[in-house]
Amino acid sequence: TQNSLWGGRYAEGPGAIMREINASIGFDRKMWRQDIFGSLAHAQMLSRVGIISSEDEAAIRQGLADIARDIEAGGFAWSEALEDIHMNIEARLTERIGEAGKRLHTGRSRNDQVALDVRLWVRDAIDGLDAQIADVMRALVARAAEHAGTVMPGFTHLQPAQPTTFGHHLLAYVEMLSRDRGRLADCRARLNESPLGAAALCGTGFPIDRHMTAKALGFDGPTRNSLDSVASRDFAAEFLFACAMCATHLSRFAEEIVIWTNPYFGFVKLSDAFTTGSSIMPQKRNPDAAELVRGKTGRMIGNLVGMLTVMKGLALTYFKDMQEDKEPVFDAAENLALALAAIGGMVRDMQPQVARLEAAAGAGFSTATDLADWLVRELKMPFRDAHHVTGKLVAMAEQKGVDLAGLTLAEMQAVEPRISEGIFDVLSVGASVRSRTSYGGTAPANVAKMAAEWKEKLA
Ligand code: ARG
């Protein structure tokens, strides 16, 4: 049978495979609220400017409200023959209210309609994700405040580098997540223009008021070029980048959880709520949630690359290729929401093993930099020379099988005669972290202050 919306010039309906490849209703029905929201604004504008009667508008509004209720209740029969969310809703509207339903699409095309719906969907998704990221940040800040003075090893190359604190480490992620929120906010600000009324590609001769619909839909204003309005999906790509970046941050944290919960590290414990057992090995406690956060980041990056790849060869304006914009966007938003919930849960759940962290913090000659700094400060030695002397002391300690504080004063003086007793004051991990008071440094007092600032900002 012919398509009831565009079948006028057709003698026959589409072939089965045409129908199958063309249909997007299986996924784009997620945008039903946005589609109805847009149609309500469009209908109201059409009636205000006198293109349709106020009776028609009232009927449309009632019809769309009834449809929304049906969908909400799960009683809406989606039709693949009607291709997409736009035609499903419009066809049902006309079934319900007759003639008036057929007037809704005046001065509008599915091209501007879909551009609008996706923008609205992304805008809603951004708002939800922003709130979720803020929640994870609050959880991190609370744990950071609790552990501002809990020393742990700081790593570069995953080799012991310098002692840091657990709180400082968690606040590093707070900074990253804060920038992720900033990126989503930038994306939201840039996408917040209404493409509705660009129609198929060139605008319309009907005296529509795009400023009115833009305002009704919460946009800053209408887009300025009709071709751009229906042809562009950079807002979607930008959203996907912001999601992929945030997922990448979560993935790095997830990787650390995997490392930290490994018994050879033993830095944190996760409760039963965030670990799984093995069907064969009774002793197992696997950090699957962290692994999945890390794993899902792969598809998040794939979504971004997929979107850019779909767009890169498209001349202006609309092509059906662009129907491929939705699944990556939905997938990114849904999986990022899941990852944020899992990470937030693990942050609240994890128990840092304070004694183990402290012991590990001192391993690997982690206060060697403090020793070198002492030589610079107390003996006015140039840093490069101090580095060399310290290197010799590390080699000596390593050979002796002790840490730096395990060397005797006499042994140290054999390398550098001017070294005095005072050097032992800087070799403990506590002294090391307390000394790092430069702005943004790891000193517990700094960390506590920064956590308090974040707490206030996020309140
Ligand atoms: N389902 C389509 C999409 O997602 C809607 C726009 C269709 N427009 C068209 N000219 N066929 O892109």
Side-chain angles (χ1 to χ4, degrees), residues 155-268:
F155 297 98
T156 59
H157 312 265
L158 201 57
Q159 303 292 322
Q162 295 176 349
T164 183
T165 75
F166 196 72
H168 197 48
H169 197 106
L170 295 185
L171 289 185
Y173 285 104
V174 171
E175 297 290 337
M176 294 175 228
L177 292 175
S178 161
R179 292 193 295 276
D180 292 331
R181 288 181 80 189
R183 269 182 281 273
L184 286 172
D186 289 347
C187 173
R188 192 192 196 285
R190 234 185 315 280
L191 73 68
N192 205 33
E193 292 180 337
S194 172
L196 186 61
L201 73 165
C202 286
T204 176
F206 290 106
I208 60 169
D209 186 342
R210 295 191 58 213
H211 291 273
M212 190 189 287
T213 46
K215 195 163 172 222
L217 294 166
F219 289 106
D220 298 329
T223 49
R224 284 162 303 281
N225 181 298
S226 63
L227 305 178
D228 169 54
S229 307
V230 298
S232 296
R233 292 294 184 272
D234 50 297
F235 71 88
E238 193 174 357
F239 172 68
L240 291 172
F241 172 71
C243 288
M245 193 68 249
C246 182
T248 299
H249 289 147
L250 299 181
S251 182
R252 296 183 72 175
F253 190 42
E255 165 71 1
E256 298 203 301
I257 293 173
V258 171
I259 293 170
W260 292 350
T261 54
N262 179 299
Y264 297 115
F265 277 77
F267 288 0
V268 305

Side-chain angles (χ1 to χ4, degrees), residues 57 78 118 123 143 151 171 183 238 251 279-280 397 412 449:
E57 193 244 332
W78 303 104
V118 181
R123 196 174 72 179
R143 299 315 299 269
V151 291
L171 289 185
R183 269 182 281 273
E238 193 174 357
S251 182
S279 59
I280 176 169
M412 291 202 196
K449 187 161 174 263

Side-chain angles (χ1 to χ4, degrees), residues 392-393 396 408-419:
K392 287 190 163 168
L393 293 171
M396 182 187 273
T408 65
L409 185 58
E411 282 165 337
M412 291 202 196
Q413 284 171 340
V415 175
E416 167 50 59
R418 290 176 295 158
I419 290 178

Side-chain angles (χ1 to χ4, degrees), residues 24 28 83-84 86 109-111 114 233 318-320 322-323 325-326:
S24 54
D28 68 11
E83 287 182 37
D84 57 24
H86 325 295
S109 156
R110 274 190 294 157
N111 295 350
V114 73
R233 292 294 184 272
Y318 179 86
F319 286 89
K320 205 57 170 273
M322 285 154 73
Q323 183 163 283
D325 63 352
K326 291 165 208 64

